[in-house]
Each structure stands twice: as structure tokens, then as C-alpha cells.
Amino acid sequence: MPALQPQPELITSEQYESLPEHRRAEVFDGILYDMASPSQTHQTILLELSSLLNSYVKQKQGECRVFPAPFDVKLSVNPLTIVQPDIMIVCDKGKLDGTCCNGAPDFIIEIVSPGNPEDDYIRKLYYYKKYGVREYWIVDPIRKLIIVNDFEHMLLNVQYDFYSTIKVHIYDDLYINFADIANLLDS
């Protein structure tokens, strides 16, 4: 008979909120997972995409807001599930309480880290779909791919290369030309 594995201790909201400010962590079903520091490539992509999205959203003068990491998203209280997407757009101001987003953002981009690609491809895909994110992009700088998941229209795992122009489905007229970002990374 195999030995029983000890079960990890589940973390509470209060325990999560008391973590040191510099500690990067997420919680899935009450289990705390530490996050690695992002690379230069990761941060370059994050800055470029955040700037593009923020410029577009400001030009629209609507209700939506763009937030780059780190900014907590509380997807669920019970079981506790808190994530820090690399980039998100929140269109319901009622979800924002000054410290986090309570509920699913409308749009999320995760930039894959080499140390844990399964986190973005499997775990976060599952949780984002489960809790109602409308659109989720996975940007993979190593494979030079962008994977688009438009849950509203059941378009799942649509792959583009880094030189594609890709439509953001939560908007009628927003397209991102990744060639500009790819060229920046290649220089």
C-alpha cells in the first residue's frame, strides 16, 4: 500500500494578504504557488502590449481599464483562487476595489516563462475559462507563438506566429501587429 502524501495546508485570504509585498505568489484552490521573477524578454513584451492596449482603451474613453502585473485578481473566495495575470483588461468597474479585481477580467494575456509553461497552457487556461474570462491569450516568446482563446465565441487554441496581426475579440476594431514586438526582440 503506497504511503499517503501529506496534504498542503490551505491558505486563507487573510494569510495571502499578509504575505510580504515583494513576494510574488498566486493561489489555486487554496494552495499557494510562488512565482519566478520575469525575464527581460518577458518585461519587454509586457511593456509593449500594455502600452498598446492602454493607448487603445484611453482613446475609446470607455469604462475599461488596463492593468499590468502585479495586480491581484480574486477569481474565487471558496476555494480561494487569486492570480496575477501579466496583463488584463477590466471593463466592469464594480469589480475593482482599489486593491484587486474581484471576479474575472474581460481579457487576459499571460507571457510564458521558461520555467513553468504548463502553468499558462494548462492551469490558467482551465481557471480562466471556469471563472468567466472572456478572452485569454498566451504569448510564448520561446516558441514565438500567440495562442488565442476567445471563450465567448468558442474559439480555442487558435495559434499565430510572432509576425501576425491578431484581432482582440472583445473589441470590434482592435488589432495587434506582433511583428513590431518581434522586431524589437530581434534587435
Side-chain angles (χ1 to χ4, degrees):
M1 182 171 187
L4 293 175
Q5 295 294 320
Q7 295 298 312
E9 186 176 325
L10 300 182
I11 190 169
T12 65
S13 288
E14 294 77 22
Q15 289 169 317
Y16 178 82
E17 290 165 9
S18 69
L19 292 173
E21 197 168 307
H22 67 276
R23 185 171 179 187
R24 297 191 66 225
E26 295 178 309
V27 180
F28 295 94
D29 292 331
I31 301 171
L32 184 72
Y33 294 87
D34 286 305
M35 300 169 65
S37 292
S39 69
Q40 178 179 332
T41 297
H42 181 284
Q43 292 302 88
T44 300
I45 294 169
L46 178 105
L47 179 61
E48 292 299 314
L49 288 173
S50 295
S51 296
L52 287 166
L53 292 169
N54 197 50
S55 292
Y56 175 86
V57 167
K58 283 171 72 175
Q59 180 185 23
K60 285 294 185 185
Q61 299 178 345
E63 296 293 313
C64 300
R65 299 276 313 273
V66 177
F67 296 95
F71 190 72
D72 288 341
V73 174
K74 193 177 289 186
L75 292 173
S76 172
V77 175
N78 190 16
L80 185 62
T81 301
I82 300 173
V83 293
Q84 290 187 0
D86 289 319
I87 305 168
M88 67 177 139
I89 297 176
V90 180
C91 297
D92 179 354
K93 286 186 178 182
K95 291 182 179 182
L96 301 171
D97 67 8
T99 60
C100 73
C101 175
N102 295 288
D106 295 87
F107 179 79
I108 289 178
I109 294 177
E110 292 286 4
I111 303 161
V112 176
S113 300
N116 62 344
E118 64 280 349
D119 213 36
D120 298 319
Y121 280 103
I122 300 169
R123 183 186 324 211
K124 289 185 178 180
L125 175 70
Y126 168 78
Y127 283 94
Y128 293 162
K129 186 173 191 290
K130 176 180 179 178
Y131 287 109
V133 172
R134 293 169 56 198
E135 187 169 351
Y136 170 45
W137 289 18
I138 302 168
V139 176
D140 191 330
I142 294 168
R143 295 173 59 203
K144 296 205 181 301
L145 285 175
I146 299 96
I147 293 91
V148 173
N149 294 283
D150 176 2
F151 300 127
E152 276 190 321
H153 301 102
M154 297 304 296
L155 298 171
L156 304 177
N157 296 315
V158 180
Q159 295 187 13
Y160 298 89
D161 67 36
F162 255 41
Y163 297 92
S164 300
T165 298
I166 306 169
K167 183 180 188 326
V168 176
H169 293 93
I170 66 166
Y171 291 105
D172 293 331
D173 59 349
L174 177 56
Y175 293 83
I176 295 177
N177 180 356
F178 266 85
D180 295 338
I181 296 169
N183 291 333
L184 185 64
L185 294 174
D186 292 339
S187 61

